[in-house]
Amino acid sequence: MREIYKNIYLKELALPNNPLKHLNFYIIKGPEESMIIDTGFNREDTKTDILDVFEQLDIKPEKTKLFLTHLHSDHTGLASYLEEMGLRVYASKIDGNLLNSSVEKTDPMWRNTLQHGIWQGLEEDRLVIEDHPGFKFRPTAHINFIPAVPCDFIPVGEYNFEIIDLKGHTPGIVGLYEREHKILFCGDHILGKITPNITFWGFEYGDILGTYLNSLDLVYHMDIEHLFSSHRFLVEDHRKRIEELYQHHDRRLDEAREALKAAVRSTVRSVTKQLHWDINSKNWDDFPKAQKWFAAGEAHAHLEHLRALGEVTMEEAGGVLYYVPVPGL
Ligand SMILES: [Zn+2]
């Protein structure tokens, strides 16, 4: 653990067998009340790590807030455990409700994930929900969260954090901005080196890649000196990193356009196979099952963005979605 700014501490919580390696766990220590941001996976050694931090910093659970940036299990795995210890949990309405709808295997989150897989043409890959990392490490109890409403403020010690809507990586991801100190806790919205996963969440969330790009735009124009992200190293220059992320998605969109041109109509799966992935696999069959879910979801988000731009149309046949380029483009 190290102090990265006055009364703001960072402890790396291990995420074993996960390419993200660890979660940057942030603690803001106040004279009365403190706040922690996110929790790591629901694992015994993570509990021990967090309890050690509480002890070292003399933090009382009943005088501490837990702010959840978004629903992913590496951020929320211990939310119900910490709530039971007496912490007050803050989450955005959208992600908090989604989190509470993902406890049981039959809950809407997993039914929808399976349905998206069928739409994407993944049926022949014979994936089961147990292969989905989100399912494997899901929280096992509901949380009674206090809604984190964008534009509201959460004061902690000398800091006054404004809740910022960063939707895109998940439908309800939120960050915390300290205007005076030019600090933004951004969760997985912007990461150093790795590209945040942008996936299809269902048609009710519209063009989620477009939404993400708008949220990048918002942060681009913010006055930030310290960008505290949830994984890997801390980004020095947020504008430079955002430009790299724009370029990444532009390249991806171009790859998707090329893939679409090669066929009369394409499934999400067939486009996914033709995109370039930073994965040590010879071909699609060799892809780890967990990565098939992620890759197809990401390709789908890009296809839906092309549809929002008017470059492709989509039709359904036999329960599978097909994407067709608009002639003349
Ligand atoms: Zn995430």
Side-chain angles (χ1 to χ4, degrees):
M1 182 166 61
R2 60 188 204 269
E3 191 175 22
I4 50 168
Y5 200 82
K6 189 166 174 260
N7 289 321
I8 301 180
Y9 296 84
L10 165 61
K11 161 90 185 162
E12 294 183 353
L13 298 176
L15 303 171
N17 305 317
N18 187 296
L20 296 171
K21 295 191 175 137
H22 61 252
L23 174 86
N24 293 334
F25 173 61
Y26 295 103
I27 307 102
I28 301 121
K29 168 120 174 92
E32 294 285 324
E33 297 235 328
S34 297
M35 178 161 70
I36 58 172
I37 301 178
D38 295 336
T39 76
F41 280 140
N42 184 0
R43 296 170 49 96
E44 289 307 314
D45 53 354
T46 313
K47 285 181 192 172
T48 312
D49 282 347
I50 293 181
L51 295 185
D52 281 351
V53 166
F54 284 2
E55 202 182 296
Q56 281 177 48
L57 294 177
D58 190 25
I59 283 179
K60 310 256 178 311
E62 62 283 1
K63 291 204 174 247
T64 304
K65 295 179 170 85
L66 163 60
F67 184 86
L68 300 174
T69 57
H70 65 294
L71 63 91
H72 284 148
S73 55
D74 51 330
H75 298 257
T76 58
L78 287 173
S80 61
Y81 169 80
L82 291 166
E83 189 193 348
E84 265 173 45
M85 279 182 65
L87 284 87
R88 273 148 307 136
V89 184
Y90 288 74
S92 75
K93 256 191 187 161
I94 297 176
D95 273 30
N97 287 334
L98 281 169
L99 194 61
N100 281 338
S101 79
S102 63
V103 175
E104 304 294 335
K105 188 177 171 180
T106 50
D107 276 349
M109 170 82 105
W110 308 117
R111 289 206 311 268
N112 290 339
T113 303
L114 287 171
Q115 175 60 56
H116 300 162
I118 294 168
W119 279 341
Q120 290 158 357
L122 293 179
E123 222 167 6
E124 56 186 293
D125 296 295
R126 302 188 188 285
L127 301 180
V128 289
I129 201 68
E130 283 78 4
D131 298 325
H132 196 288
F135 181 79
K136 269 192 211 165
F137 298 108
R138 73 193 186 283
T140 47
H142 287 85
I143 45 164
N144 296 304
F145 65 90
I146 301 161
V149 180
C151 303
D152 275 4
F153 285 84
I154 305 182
V156 186
E158 65 248 76
Y159 300 111
N160 197 16
F161 293 104
E162 183 181 352
I163 300 169
I164 306 285
D165 181 358
L166 297 174
K167 59 183 175 284
H169 174 64
T170 64
I173 181 172
V174 278
L176 290 171
Y177 182 51
E178 221 302 335
R179 198 172 295 270
E180 198 187 317
H181 295 267
K182 302 180 183 179
I183 292 171
L184 177 68
F185 291 98
C186 70
D188 287 1
H189 181 52
I190 299 163
L191 301 173
K193 198 160 158 76
I194 23 182
T195 316
N197 174 260
I198 306 303
T199 195
F200 177 76
W201 286 89
F203 291 107
E204 61 270 46
Y205 300 108
D207 165 23
I208 197 78
L209 175 59
T211 302
Y212 174 69
L213 296 172
N214 287 339
S215 295
L216 283 182
D217 217 38
L218 174 93
V219 175
Y220 188 95
H221 292 102
M222 285 168 75
D223 190 6
I224 297 167
E225 267 175 28
H226 305 277
L227 184 69
F228 295 147
S229 342
S230 288
H231 305 284
R232 305 287 180 98
F233 57 83
L234 306 181
V235 173
E236 292 270 327
D237 179 345
H238 74 291
R239 297 203 170 108
K240 182 166 165 264
R241 184 64 188 136
I242 288 171
E243 275 160 16
E244 289 165 3
L245 292 170
Y246 287 146
Q247 285 160 14
H248 166 85
H249 290 291
D250 279 344
R251 279 197 302 273
R252 264 269 189 284
L253 289 166
D254 278 341
E255 285 178 1
R257 288 182 184 105
E258 283 305 309
L260 287 162
K261 265 194 223 158
V264 178
R265 61 178 200 172
S266 308
T267 62
V268 175
R269 181 179 186 270
S270 69
V271 171
T272 309
K273 287 166 76 170
Q274 294 172 70
L275 301 182
H276 169 262
W277 301 101
D278 276 331
I279 261 183
N280 262 338
S281 300
K282 292 187 288 292
N283 53 40
W284 178 252
D285 292 328
D286 197 39
F287 250 59
K289 286 181 172 182
Q291 298 303 327
K292 284 190 178 180
W293 284 112
F294 282 146
E298 189 158 329
H300 200 174
H302 285 78
L303 289 171
E304 277 299 308
H305 187 59
L306 291 179
R307 193 162 76 93
L309 294 174
E311 297 186 30
V312 296
T313 57
M314 187 263 292
E315 59 199 33
E316 194 214 301
V320 176
L321 305 179
Y322 292 90
Y323 287 82
V324 181
V326 170
L329 279 175

